[in-house]
Structures are given as structure tokens and as C-alpha cells.
Amino acid sequence: MEVTAHSQWQGYIEKVEKLRNDFFSAGKVPSEVNEDTWAEFKTAVRNFNSHKNAFYKDIKKEQSDNLNKKLALVEKAKAMSTSEDFAATTPLMKQIQEEWKQIGHVPRKYSDKIWKEFKEACNHYFDRMKATRNEANSEEIEAFDKKKAYLDSMKDFELVGDHKTDLEAIKAHIEQWKSFGKVPFSRRHIEGKFNKILDALFEKLSLSKKEGDMMRFSNKLEQLAGSDDSRKLEGEKIFIIRKIDEIQSEIFQLENNIQFTNAKKDNPLVKEVLKNIEKHKDELETWKDKLKQLRNLSQE
């Protein structure tokens, strides 16, 4: 039977020790077999001790290797414990905690010391992260309260009828709104309420469709940039590129249809198609301007 655990060896060591005691207390044996009996018993005990020593030698080497692995993780934890990049560091910190669990025993005289060092480094990091998030949450809640009050105050805002004056007033509202900062994710609906007010104001202002569209888009972009979520900006970029491709394909199809018709340009149907082409081209320029603005934002 192969013995693979410390507890098993302890059990067998006790049994062998009992056999030794029994052997010596069993009394004398005939002289002609005495030496052979003693030699066989010594050989059996020697073989047992040889296997036992080999086992514990391997354990010492394994525990020494485990010690080196855990010491390396202690150094990693200490190095990351002061990191300010919580988004990048947190998964790495959790990963080395899992690695620590997978590593086996280390020599007992080092066990408590290195565990204490590792635990303190991890706790230092996660306590700092928690404190930073609590502070950020407090600021976001304050921002929400300010924006909520500002929305209420905008109910009394009215355009005066002068295009330039009204446009500057709307821009001032947008800048004031941005100055309040980010709100908690669960309360992001307040951004939609503000955007609805802007849409109504832009419509009353009688801006050109493109001008109003670009102003709304600029405000949307700044909100996305302020969310610190690069995936949302990348998603917006992919959406715009698809829109550009769709409109270009539509223009190509309309122009191709005209080429294969014999109708004259003053034909009502042809006029409608040409008008539609121009409309698509204007829309295409708007989407291209949006893409340019988004790319410029990414380079800042």
C-alpha cells in the first residue's frame, strides 16, 4: 500500500514502534534462528524508515517550493497595494488571491508570517478601493441632487425670441449641467430628462436640422466621455460607421435607378428621387461630421 499523506505515515510510525516493543518483549528464540530473525526484523524496519524519510524529504522540497511561490505572491500583493488604477488592478488582486489558495502547505515556521504579510497587503488595497468608491458615490449623489434641483428650475426658463441670445442661454444651461458632474449609474435617467428639455428648446429655437442635431450629439458625446466607459464610445462609433455605410448604399441605389430610367429630369417621379438623394447626402454629411467629432474626442 502506497502511503501519500502525513497522517497515514503517523499511523504507520505508531504501528512500527509498537511492533518494535512487541519484538523485544517477546522473549528469546532458539539460537539457531536468532540472528536470522533479528536480521529480517532490522531489514524490515530499515526499509520502512527509508521510505518514510524519502516521503518527508519530498514534502520538505514541496513545501520549500510552495514557500517560494507564496513569497512571490506577497511581493506582487505589496506592489499592487498602492495602485490607483482600480479597474485594472482589482482583477489581478483577485487572481493572486485564488493562486494563493491553490498553493499547498509551507514550512510551519513561515506559515503565519507570510500569510499575515499577504493578507495585510490585500486588505490595504481593497480598503483603499472601498474608501475611494464611497467618496465617489457621495460626490455622484450630490451631483444628482444638484441636477434634480436644476431640472426643477428650468421649468420657468423661456426663450426671449432673439436667436443668438437664446442659443447662448441654452449653451449656458448645458455647461452648467455638465459642471455638476456624474450621477450614480442607477439614477442616469435624469440625463434623459435633461435631453428631452434640450430637444424641445432646440425645436423652438428653429435651428437648422443639422445644427440642432450636432448640438444634441455634442452633448451626448460629452456625457459618454464623462461616464469613463470606453465601450460605449466604441459602440457609438460602430453605430455611426454603419449609418454612413447604409446611407451611402442608399444614395448609390437611388442614383443607379435614375441612370437606368429614360424619364426626363422634369418628370415628377425623377424630381422626387433627386430630392431624396439630396436629402440623403445632407444626412450623410451630418453623420460624417459626427464621426469626425467622435474621433477627435478619442484623440484628446
Side-chain angles (χ1 to χ4, degrees), residues 72-89:
L73 292 184
V74 169
E75 292 306 310
K76 284 185 180 180
K78 287 181 177 179
M80 291 191 290
S81 66
T82 56
S83 172
E84 299 292 337
D85 189 352
F86 296 112
T89 306

Side-chain angles (χ1 to χ4, degrees), residues 26-30 34:
K28 293 183 178 181
V29 297
N34 183 50

Side-chain angles (χ1 to χ4, degrees), residues 38-267:
W38 171 238
E40 285 183 32
F41 184 75
K42 278 200 304 183
T43 299
V45 172
R46 189 181 299 117
N47 288 338
F48 173 81
N49 287 333
S50 177
H51 284 90
K52 178 194 71 174
N53 293 339
F55 172 79
Y56 281 103
K57 184 178 179 181
D58 288 341
I59 278 190
K60 286 182 179 179
K61 183 179 183 306
E62 181 183 341
Q63 289 191 351
S64 179
D65 291 341
N66 290 341
L67 175 62
N68 290 331
K69 290 176 183 177
K70 286 193 172 182
L71 286 173
L73 292 184
V74 169
E75 292 306 310
K76 284 185 180 180
K78 287 181 177 179
M80 291 191 290
S81 66
T82 56
S83 172
E84 299 292 337
D85 189 352
F86 296 112
T89 306
T90 300
L92 298 177
M93 208 58 147
K94 290 181 178 180
Q95 180 183 326
I96 67 172
Q97 287 181 319
E98 287 302 315
E99 289 178 19
W100 183 279
K101 294 176 185 177
Q102 300 304 318
I103 299 173
H105 294 292
V106 301
R108 183 170 296 182
K109 64 180 178 178
Y110 300 112
S111 179
D112 291 343
K113 179 177 180 295
I114 63 171
W115 167 242
K116 182 181 178 183
E117 290 182 17
F118 183 73
K119 186 178 179 181
E120 284 178 353
C122 292
N123 286 347
H124 180 69
Y125 172 79
F126 285 109
D127 287 346
R128 286 177 52 253
M129 182 184 73
K130 184 178 179 181
T132 301
R133 285 184 174 175
N134 287 342
E135 183 180 349
N137 288 342
S138 175
E139 291 175 356
E140 289 177 359
I141 291 172
E142 184 180 351
F144 173 79
D145 291 338
K146 289 180 179 178
K147 286 186 173 182
K148 188 173 181 295
Y150 198 75
L151 275 185
D152 292 337
S153 71
M154 286 192 69
K155 292 176 182 177
D156 298 326
F157 174 73
E158 292 184 3
L159 301 176
V160 297
D162 178 74
H163 181 89
K164 183 178 179 181
T165 303
D166 289 335
L167 183 58
E168 290 301 320
I170 293 174
K171 287 181 178 179
H173 281 303
I174 293 174
E175 290 303 314
Q176 182 63 52
W177 183 266
K178 288 190 296 186
S179 73
F180 296 137
K182 290 195 301 182
V183 300
F185 183 82
S186 60
R187 304 185 186 186
R188 291 285 301 279
H189 61 275
I190 199 168
E191 302 292 346
K193 291 183 178 181
F194 181 67
N195 289 334
K196 283 184 179 180
I197 292 176
L198 289 184
D199 288 343
L201 291 173
F202 285 138
E203 190 172 341
K204 290 180 182 178
L205 194 58
S206 300
L207 293 172
S208 69
K209 185 177 184 304
K210 180 175 181 178
E211 189 178 6
D213 199 12
M214 289 304 297
M215 286 192 70
R216 282 190 288 271
F217 180 71
S218 294
N219 187 53
K220 178 182 179 181
L221 266 193
E222 290 183 9
Q223 288 178 5
L224 288 177
S227 69
D228 294 328
D229 192 338
S230 59
R231 290 175 300 177
K232 289 183 179 179
L233 283 172
E234 186 62 25
E236 187 70 19
K237 179 181 175 182
I238 293 171
F239 173 75
I240 293 173
I241 291 174
R242 285 177 180 169
K243 288 295 293 184
I244 290 174
D245 289 341
E246 288 174 9
I247 296 170
Q248 286 176 330
S249 296
E250 185 67 22
I251 292 172
F252 175 79
Q253 186 63 49
L254 290 171
E255 290 178 337
N256 198 45
N257 290 343
I258 289 180
Q259 289 179 2
F260 286 95
T261 182
N262 294 323
K264 295 181 179 181
K265 289 187 177 181
D266 58 354
N267 182 293

